[in-house]
Amino acid sequence: MILGNLASSVGNVVGDITGLNKPSKNTITGSVVIVKKNVLDFTAVHSTVADSLFELLGNQVSLQLVSAENPDPANENGGKLGKLAALEYWNLTYTPLLAGDDSLYKVSFEWDEEFGIPGAIILRNNHTAEFFLKTITLENVPGEGRIHFVCNSWVYPDRRYKKPRIFFSNKTYLPHETPAALRKYREEELQVLRGDGTGQLKTGDRVYDYALYNDLGDPDKGADLARPVLGGSAQYPYPRRGRTSRPPSKTDPKTESRLFLPNILNVYVPRDEQFAHLKLSDFIAYNLKGLVNQIIPLLEAFVNYTPNEFDSFKDVDNLFFNGLPLPTDLINQVANNIPLEMMGEFFRSDGQQLLKFPVPKLIEDRSNPFAWRTDEEFGREMLAGLNPLLIQLLKEFPPVSNLDPQVYVNQDSSITKQDIEYNLDGLTVEEALSRKRLFILDHHDTIMPYLQTINEYTEAKTYASRTILFLRGDGTLKSVAIELSLPKMEEDKIGCVNKVYTPAEHGVEGWIWMLAKAFVNVNDSGHHQLVSHWLNTHAVIEPFVIATNRQLSVVHPIYKLLHPHFRDTMTINALARELLINANGIIERTFCPGKYSLEMSSVIYKSWNFMDQALPNDLKKRGIADGDIKSLDDLDRLLIKDYPYAVDGLKIWFAIEKWVRDYCSFYYKTDEMVQRDPELQAWWKELREVGHGDKKDEPWWPKMQNLEDLIQSCTIIIWIASALHAAVNYGQYAYGGYFPNRPTLSRRFMPEKGTPEYAELEKNPEKVFFRIMSSQLQSLIVITVVETLSNHASDEVYLGQRTPNWTTDAVPLQASDAFNRRLAEIEGEILKMNIDKKLKNRVGQVNVPYNLLHPTGEIGISGKGIPNSISI
């Protein structure tokens, strides 16, 4: 208390000497909300003491008003600057003990009529430690009233910056509408964020820049860990990532060097893109189990009497219903191998056992514990499961391949009419085709080019696959045939050997059919994780995050529209490159393509089309929509009426589109305004030519020459970042946590009659199932990962939610309110559909309602909610 009083007294004396706190007849008062580096964070204790001493010496946090109305020629025609003012009573202001809590400070500014209305504030942190600046609010500004500055930014000591930090009021301006006094600051701030493309980027920097995916391999640790550079070539095109500026590896100058585990939380991303403290705590708590390259190997000897194998479904069930306690010495070993930041989360106060996992919703209903095995559920999950994006109308029979005939031969399907016609509810194949009731899940052409390499050079033994499904009268899908294919050289071309399997329920034939479905799910799991999830949401959206921050000012209307949908994305992507998709990382160790996983996703990116990401376009392209879907009035054009992802998704899509249309139309009254917006045009040019530069010449890119281009583009961006990601991410634990339902790897081929493996299948089918599919260790890794990825954080921000006072414009605020009202209506419609017994695909025999596109969610593994952004 004595030190605090001394700080206050000396601070006030120094303030009077420097002129920071002199009273004035004309004064504008303000309040500043910040979050300090918390005193309970041992790394911040020294800086907290130092900051108090700096206050005593007059090195304070100072603020300076910038006029929006009156340029100053002496300031390069930037706005007239007010006198410096300091945050008052820094040392006496209560600092909360809980991380994330706010501290409120007062500030007083001198003001006169010649200054005019403030439009920005320059802030200098003369302390030793950074703090998080949330808001600044000015009260009773003459001629204006209250002015809000929504900052939400980390402010480091001023000596770290070439130019002092500046924060704009919450007014929104197109470039040509920007007050002349603020244009200089608007342009300078963008220059700071772009950087100059050189030098090492450090913690606290704010630079947004691009790089190739050259940080996945680790050749310095061995040639087997080298990986091709993705992006920048016709062979391996890819979206760009954020530049991290690490030095090249010693072995390969084209490959960026990698961090070791202790620095895993220190990968460079711009400071304001990093997790806030609460989110970091959530991520650490759940990701602890995901650090399997340190933890899981230590557990391997303890988890089952059969080394590295499950023997039965009962063994798997024990992980969820009973749990496996861990010895103290093992916990100590683990504690010695994880970062200090994670120690507090490892010893959780709730005593959670590391190897007792939450029960996945798929097996939660014990009245029907084997419902997940049924053909009905196998088909339903193509419409309402983890990867409901691939099923398409079968347009010709038998199915054909589109692989290059110069390289491949005889790749068309061998499925015959005799294989399926008896199972078409009395229809012939021709009738089923003409009535549009045959569908296909096709993993043939995407897998076949890599299949021989995968089977020879990884531990995986798998097939390319085609699955034919029939749409029944009750709206459900019935699997009628599965074709598994292996490559076979035919002279100088790649042919294939096909084998067709048809449904069976009992005996060894029933287990063969179950294994055939499992092989299909191995393919689907790989495609889901690498393409539907990683590539088509995480990877493709990062260039939009970077370009938006580089080219659109924070006061630009499109920046304000899109920015909430980019929260945490760069950080989670950087961590994914460190833990998940790197050489010998979690994905390579547990998913079928193994070391070729990201390389395969690069090949698939060749066919990525921005416009196809629009849900109505996607449904039409897959033949699911019989014509254009221009509004919800066109839902009857869906060939599968009870398609939960499509039905709920279209409701969300058109709600987003209306919100974007209402918002953009307020700022852009004509197409010419779109064409003449220099920031907007620079943004779109950089997105095409740099961020997605390997596809810059594609004809489908919108030209951004009219309002409709802008509306459609922004709708697609928001859809990808919110609803599409939610649909493919947050159900992972519900469906994939129980890994026999969606195995990620197969280690042996299908048992053939007359072989010892077939004989063993007849005697002990469950044991054979687990010998063929993922090992015990691989399965445990998958469980830990999908548990992490399926969690909603405690500070999740859901679709439609926005920071208070984000704009002053009434029409956009009204449009935002209308958007949220529509989302609330959709929630009610989803809940109503989920209890409609006629809609059999909404819940299924497993009793798992489709809530992945329910706009608001709940903390934890709820399987419900659409976050604004890709934040996990």
Side-chain angles (χ1 to χ4, degrees), residues 728-789:
V728 298
N729 183 73
Y730 290 100
Q732 290 193 77
Y733 196 74
Y735 291 104
Y738 191 71
F739 59 88
N741 181 60
R742 287 187 66 82
T744 60
L745 188 70
S746 50
R747 297 173 291 157
R748 299 181 185 178
F749 292 120
M750 182 76 82
E752 298 290 343
K753 284 186 178 181
T755 64
E757 292 80 10
Y758 194 89
E760 181 68 15
L761 182 66
E762 292 178 306
K763 295 176 183 177
N764 195 340
E766 292 191 14
K767 183 176 180 179
V768 172
F769 180 91
F770 288 108
R771 295 301 182 272
I772 292 176
M773 297 301 155
S774 310
S775 71
Q776 186 181 64
L777 177 59
Q778 291 161 336
S779 302
L780 289 173
I781 294 173
V782 170
I783 297 173
T784 63
V785 172
V786 298
E787 183 191 0
T788 300
L789 298 180

Side-chain angles (χ1 to χ4, degrees), residues 391-444:
I391 188 168
Q392 53 188 315
L393 180 68
L394 183 63
K395 297 181 179 179
E396 56 182 312
F397 187 89
V400 298
S401 170
N402 292 315
L403 291 172
D404 184 356
Q406 299 299 316
V407 180
Y408 300 91
V409 66
N410 297 328
Q411 294 288 334
D412 293 345
S413 174
S414 300
I415 300 173
T416 67
K417 294 180 182 180
Q418 289 73 23
D419 290 325
I420 68 171
E421 205 156 58
Y422 73 96
N423 220 351
L424 301 183
D425 293 358
L427 298 181
T428 65
V429 167
E430 290 79 10
E431 289 171 334
L433 280 173
S434 66
R435 298 182 189 183
K436 299 183 178 180
R437 293 178 65 179
L438 285 178
F439 295 83
I440 184 171
L441 181 68
D442 195 339
H443 288 297
H444 185 277

